[in-house]
Amino acid sequence: QVHLAESGGGSVQAGGSLRLSCVLSGDPLMRYTVAWFRQAPGKEREGVAAIHSGIGRTYYADSAKDRFAISQDISKTTVYLQMNSLKPEDAAMYYCATDRAQPDDWILLPQKYTYWGQGTQVTVSS
């Protein structure tokens, strides 16, 4: 069983920054992907960014490119999402998720992930 815990959400003005953290614990997966998703009220959950833990390759949704950065610490137990130039449309509940390493085509699909955190709320005011 893998456990994930997000933190770092909050309220910022448009143009501001936040760094979200996702701490992984429990039984380690040998090769795995960690991804960030978000869900705004009335909208479907969407992938934002992902990282292959073993090789560190990163992936981004078009909405996140050039503004967000996903990274992991050296122990690979914490994954970060640095969010810059935040926009009101970035406001959502942000979740991290993990599962065994995913093919590139699946890596931002929420239905491909088994283990999820409880989420952290991001609010962006205009």
Side-chain angles (χ1 to χ4, degrees), residues 1-54:
Q1 188 75 5
V2 181
H3 300 280
L4 301 96
E6 304 96 334
S7 63
S11 296
V12 296
Q13 291 190 329
S17 298
L18 284 172
R19 188 175 81 156
L20 307 183
S21 299
C22 173
V23 177
L24 288 79
S25 60
D27 296 333
L29 301 174
M30 290 304 297
R31 292 174 61 247
Y32 58 94
T33 302
V34 178
W36 284 95
F37 296 87
R38 67 187 182 187
Q39 188 166 20
K43 294 188 177 181
E44 294 185 352
R45 191 168 295 189
E46 64 174 353
V48 176
I51 186 167
H52 269 304
S53 178

Side-chain angles (χ1 to χ4, degrees), residues 106-121:
W106 295 356
I107 204 162
L108 290 178
L109 297 179
Q111 60 267 35
K112 299 300 183 181
Y113 288 81
T114 302
Y115 305 101
W116 291 82
Q118 295 300 307
T120 185
Q121 183 69 45

Side-chain angles (χ1 to χ4, degrees), residues 33-34 48-52 55-61 64-65 70 81 102-105 107-108:
T33 302
V34 178
V48 176
I51 186 167
H52 269 304
I55 58 177
R57 186 177 296 166
T58 58
Y59 304 80
Y60 296 93
K65 287 178 182 176
I70 189 170
L81 183 68
Q102 302 288 340
D104 290 0
D105 289 348
I107 204 162
L108 290 178

